[in-house]
Amino acid sequence: MKISIKETQNPTIVKFEFPDFITQNESFEFKNIDEAKNSPLAQQLFYLPFVKTVYISGNFVAIERYSIVEWSDVQEDVAEQIENFVKNGGVIVLPNDNPVKKQPVTVYGETTPNPASLKFVVNKALTKTAAEFKNIDEAKASPLAQELFKFHYVKEIFIAENYISVTKYDSISWDEITLELRTFIKQFIENGGTVINESLIEKTEKQEKQQIKNFDNLDTTSQQIVNILEEYVKPAVAADGGNILFDSYDENDKRVKVVLQGACNGCPSSTFTLKSGIENMLKDMLNDKDIVVEALNG
């Protein structure tokens, strides 16, 4: 067995990757030797004076160091110590005496037209109410989103019926983080974590306009526009990891405003493509060549 050493975006943390998975759909974080009672390996690592935190998940052990050393000076020795520990029969994590019964979940990643966003599709329903979160403070309704924001490279999260769209910062590539995110989402859901509490979702003015109870308050043309968006546009946008909301229609200048969410939000091509596509569709279906569509980012 050979341990691979991988740097992370955080210079104080290094990942030591195993050729196979070392946990059964669980993730662990230990801040000291007392917290690490169910991980003999983590306890062993805390005897090293520079070890601050030990993370165990999927196929890796990640270690955060104190600033008294540089990883370049010690990482090879740490990798060798981990290899020898396992080779000599050491236990990485003790089995849980009272395991939670897990529901098998399938999660796979799909690319989107937005190079900064990836769509993680789950084989089960997650929510009836789509929600977008720009930061961890906005994510009170979603324990999953709150955990995902702890990954320093996660910028925005959009959760819809059966998928999670994650938008990353440009400083890291998807090749480096896709497996980590997919594994985390899969384990979180399998372990019974709450993806989203719909009762806590804060209704914005834009979302309120989408509610059926407010539909009757719209003028006839706006109702037609909403129906067209729901039937013809939303399914295509959802396939790309995004969402579209009707914002308003001004009958004086024939301007339709729509809001883009998820992978569509900030996509280099989506604003122009959706504006042109929706605009042409509305002109044709409403038989009004003067209609103009303005695409907003949520």
Side-chain angles (χ1 to χ4, degrees):
M1 180 197 68
K2 181 67 177 176
I3 299 292
S4 300
I5 302 171
K6 297 291 178 64
E7 295 181 355
T8 70
Q9 291 295 303
N10 186 336
T12 66
I13 298 177
V14 164
K15 291 169 65 175
F16 298 89
E17 294 188 350
F18 290 70
D20 299 303
F21 281 88
I22 57 176
T23 66
Q24 296 297 316
N25 301 318
E26 293 178 294
S27 298
F28 303 90
E29 177 180 341
F30 305 112
K31 296 290 187 180
N32 54 58
I33 197 169
D34 291 329
E35 289 186 1
K37 291 178 181 179
N38 65 331
S39 174
L41 173 59
Q43 287 186 317
Q44 183 74 19
L45 291 171
F46 275 116
Y47 285 114
L48 299 173
F50 55 83
V51 171
K52 181 179 181 181
T53 309
V54 177
Y55 307 90
I56 300 176
S57 179
N59 69 328
F60 67 86
V61 174
I63 301 175
E64 182 182 9
R65 64 169 173 80
Y66 287 106
S67 57
I68 58 175
V69 298
E70 295 295 330
W71 273 120
S72 57
D73 296 327
V74 298
Q75 62 186 22
E76 296 292 343
D77 291 336
V78 174
E80 183 179 358
Q81 180 171 327
I82 295 174
E83 288 179 1
N84 290 335
F85 179 86
V86 176
K87 189 184 301 181
N88 293 327
V91 176
I92 298 174
V93 178
L94 294 171
N96 188 350
D97 292 334
N98 299 297
V100 177
K101 186 175 182 181
K102 299 180 178 64
Q103 298 295 325
V105 171
T106 300
V107 179
Y108 64 90
E110 284 186 358
T111 57
T112 75
N114 186 348
S117 299
L118 199 64
K119 177 182 176 183
F120 292 91
V121 183
V122 185
N123 66 331
K124 63 177 290 185
L126 302 177
T127 180
K128 294 179 181 178
T129 306
E132 184 174 44
F133 308 107
K134 302 288 189 181
N135 53 60
I136 195 169
D137 293 329
E138 291 184 0
K140 295 177 182 177
S142 174
L144 173 59
Q146 287 184 317
E147 291 301 315
L148 288 172
F149 275 118
K150 292 178 183 178
F151 291 98
H152 66 279
Y153 47 74
V154 171
K155 183 179 181 181
E156 296 176 13
I157 296 166
F158 176 73
I159 302 176
E161 183 178 358
N162 71 325
Y163 67 87
I164 301 110
S165 283
V166 177
T167 301
K168 67 175 181 62
Y169 288 101
D170 294 334
S171 59
I172 195 168
S173 71
W174 283 116
D175 290 341
E176 298 176 76
I177 61 176
T178 298
L179 177 60
E180 184 174 42
L181 284 175
R182 186 179 67 81
T183 301
F184 181 84
I185 292 170
K186 174 180 168 65
Q187 293 178 349
F188 183 93
I189 297 173
E190 285 186 334
N191 286 323
T194 299
V195 174
I196 193 166
N197 184 339
E198 296 183 54
S199 67
L200 297 179
I201 295 176
E202 294 183 6
K203 294 294 190 297
T204 65
E205 183 180 352
K206 301 186 189 73
Q207 289 172 321
E208 286 293 341
K209 290 179 182 178
Q210 295 295 294
Q211 302 304 306
I212 295 176
K213 64 183 181 183
N214 294 319
F215 182 81
D216 292 337
N217 297 328
L218 298 174
D219 61 86
T220 302
T221 304
S222 293
Q223 290 179 344
Q224 291 175 313
I225 293 170
V226 170
N227 286 333
I228 292 170
L229 294 178
E230 290 289 325
E231 184 173 355
Y232 297 100
V233 181
K234 272 198 174 184
V237 173
D240 287 334
N243 190 35
I244 185 168
L245 301 175
F246 170 78
D247 183 84
S248 62
Y249 169 67
D250 187 327
E251 63 178 326
N252 293 320
D253 62 6
K254 303 295 183 71
R255 182 174 299 275
V256 178
K257 292 184 180 181
V258 297
V259 179
L260 305 178
Q261 294 182 316
C264 297
N265 183 7
C267 176
S269 62
S270 67
T271 301
F272 174 78
T273 303
L274 284 171
K275 179 184 184 301
S276 301
I278 297 170
E279 192 171 282
N280 291 335
M281 181 183 295
L282 292 177
K283 285 179 177 179
D284 181 60
M285 299 185 76
L286 297 176
N287 195 26
D288 189 339
K289 303 303 179 184
D290 295 325
I291 283 181
V292 176
V293 171
E294 180 178 347
L296 310 172
N297 285 328

